């Protein structure tokens, strides 16, 4: 998947972080958590050709067959307030979307909070996990899975949301090149993570903006219209009952409303 030159470039981008590539693993997030316990440097990355126990948000599984997808986890030692940790999901989503926009002929959007869509189908998912030491966050692990080749898309009967791959919308995508470009974008946008420009990048790519949606809040489905993000990167939804809550990532999941026009 990676050439010697690409590995050298990745090591340069991550420095002083370390890079580990595994042919097969259970979960790169678990591997990154073990690395955190060992005290490896900030911005270290574990990537794998195949995951056998990949997971997504809300206890969903993540399908990572060999030779067709990207699965990696980034270990960061956060230097921002814990109240702003939702932005780490945005960091991966923005960076991935920017790279996919350069490759794909179809529109690339971010389905709040943690999916990247191509042509309104899921191509990438993000799982952010935080390690704590008492009441203080010790490390943040950013897990990313991306469907690159057509073979990486799971069977439809096992899906919670329609899926696609980069190869359905781009000619001959190369996993190594995509990985390298995403790391470059993450380094750029991490340095801007608390800025208004960061939120603007996220907001400008939101899927279903202005459209009727179903939003699950604390396990309950409610309907409304997606407005956008506020300055704290919370989602603003104009609910059918007239309220206009600002919702954070921990509370919600979003999908289009079937009866929307």
């Amino acid at each position: 998947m990676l050439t010697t030159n690409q590995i050298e470039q990745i090591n340069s981008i991550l420095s002083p972080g370390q890079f580990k590539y595994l042919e097969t693993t259970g979960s790169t997030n678990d591997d990154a958590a073990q690395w955190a316990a060992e005290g490896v440097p900030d911005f270290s990355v574990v990537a794998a050709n195949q995951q056998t126990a990949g997971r997504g948000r809300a206890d969903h599984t993540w399908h990572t067959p060999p030779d067709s997808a990207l699965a990696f986890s980034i270990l960061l030692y956060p230097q921002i307030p814990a109240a702003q940790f939702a932005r780490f999901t945005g960091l991966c989503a923005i960076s991935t979307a920017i790279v996919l926009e350069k490759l794909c002929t179809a529109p690339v959007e971010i389905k709040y909070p943690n999916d990247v869509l191509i042509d309104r189908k899921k191509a990438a998912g993000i799982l952010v996990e935080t390690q704590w030491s008492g009441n203080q966050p010790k490390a943040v692990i950013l897990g990313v899975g991306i469907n690159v080749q057509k073979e990486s898309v799971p069977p439809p009967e096992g899906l919670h949301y329609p899926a696609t791959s980069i190869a359905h919308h781009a000619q001959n995508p190369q996993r190594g090149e995509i990985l390298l470009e995403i790391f470059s974008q993450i380094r750029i946008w991490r340095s801007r993570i608390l800025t208004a420009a960061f939120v603007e990048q996220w907001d400008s790519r939101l899927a279903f903006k202005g459209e009727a949606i179903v939003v699950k809040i604390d396990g309950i489905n409610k309907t409304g219209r997606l407005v956008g993000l506020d300055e704290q990167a919370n989602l603003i939804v104009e609910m059918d009952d007239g309220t206009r809550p600002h919702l954070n990532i921990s509370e919600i999941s979003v999908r289009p409303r079937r009866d929307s026009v």
Side-chain angles (χ1 to χ4, degrees), residues 78 80-83 85 130-139:
I80 65 173
F85 278 13
T130 304
Q131 291 191 332
W132 296 83
S133 177
N135 293 325
Q136 297 299 316
K138 176 185 176 184

Side-chain angles (χ1 to χ4, degrees), residues 60-117:
H60 295 163
T61 59
W62 185 265
H63 184 68
T64 313
D67 306 321
S68 61
L70 283 172
F72 59 92
S73 296
I74 303 168
L75 173 63
L76 301 179
Y77 299 116
Q79 299 176 343
I80 65 173
Q84 299 291 340
F85 278 13
R87 293 178 185 239
F88 286 120
T89 301
L91 174 63
C92 292
I94 292 166
S95 300
T96 300
I98 288 172
V99 175
L100 268 55
E101 286 167 352
K102 298 176 183 178
L103 296 172
C104 297
T105 55
V108 176
E109 300 170 293
I110 298 171
K111 184 172 83 70
Y112 195 88
N114 66 316
D115 295 332
V116 179
L117 310 181

Side-chain angles (χ1 to χ4, degrees), residues 49-192:
N49 184 43
Q50 179 183 18
Q51 281 188 127
T52 58
R55 59 183 182 272
R57 195 166 175 256
D59 296 324
H60 295 163
T61 59
W62 185 265
H63 184 68
T64 313
D67 306 321
S68 61
L70 283 172
F72 59 92
S73 296
I74 303 168
L75 173 63
L76 301 179
Y77 299 116
Q79 299 176 343
I80 65 173
Q84 299 291 340
F85 278 13
R87 293 178 185 239
F88 286 120
T89 301
L91 174 63
C92 292
I94 292 166
S95 300
T96 300
I98 288 172
V99 175
L100 268 55
E101 286 167 352
K102 298 176 183 178
L103 296 172
C104 297
T105 55
V108 176
E109 300 170 293
I110 298 171
K111 184 172 83 70
Y112 195 88
N114 66 316
D115 295 332
V116 179
L117 310 181
I118 306 174
D119 196 25
R120 291 286 167 100
K121 296 180 180 180
K122 184 174 178 176
I126 299 156
L127 176 64
V128 175
E129 298 180 316
T130 304
Q131 291 191 332
W132 296 83
S133 177
N135 293 325
Q136 297 299 316
K138 176 185 176 184
V140 175
I141 297 167
L142 318 180
V144 181
I146 304 173
N147 300 331
V148 181
Q149 304 300 338
K150 294 178 181 180
E151 296 78 12
S152 64
V153 179
E157 58 270 17
L159 296 176
H160 298 278
Y161 191 87
T164 189
S165 72
I166 298 172
H168 281 91
H169 308 279
Q171 291 188 347
N172 194 29
Q174 298 298 309
R175 290 185 296 160
E177 294 177 6
I178 294 168
L179 194 65
L180 179 61
E181 290 297 322
I182 289 174
F183 292 158
S184 296
Q185 290 296 327
I186 286 175
R187 177 168 286 281
I188 291 169
W189 287 102
R190 186 188 184 187
S191 67
R192 306 171 185 173

Side-chain angles (χ1 to χ4, degrees), residues 149-259:
Q149 304 300 338
K150 294 178 181 180
E151 296 78 12
S152 64
V153 179
E157 58 270 17
L159 296 176
H160 298 278
Y161 191 87
T164 189
S165 72
I166 298 172
H168 281 91
H169 308 279
Q171 291 188 347
N172 194 29
Q174 298 298 309
R175 290 185 296 160
E177 294 177 6
I178 294 168
L179 194 65
L180 179 61
E181 290 297 322
I182 289 174
F183 292 158
S184 296
Q185 290 296 327
I186 286 175
R187 177 168 286 281
I188 291 169
W189 287 102
R190 186 188 184 187
S191 67
R192 306 171 185 173
I193 197 167
L194 293 179
T195 66
F198 180 91
V199 178
E200 290 167 3
Q201 287 286 324
W202 196 349
D203 181 78
S204 69
R205 293 176 171 85
L206 278 182
F208 320 125
K209 187 185 287 189
E211 299 177 21
I213 61 167
V214 176
V215 55
K216 182 178 287 187
I217 305 174
D218 296 329
I220 300 173
N221 286 332
K222 298 185 178 182
T223 54
R225 192 166 298 274
L226 194 154
V227 177
L229 298 182
D230 66 17
E231 64 277 4
Q232 299 301 320
N234 296 314
L235 192 71
I236 307 170
V237 179
E238 185 176 309
M239 309 303 294
D240 289 349
D241 63 8
T243 59
R244 196 180 173 97
H246 294 222
L247 305 166
N248 65 53
I249 280 177
S250 64
E251 299 174 314
I252 67 168
S253 64
V254 170
R255 62 177 55 240
R257 196 159 74 193
R258 294 183 186 276
D259 62 354

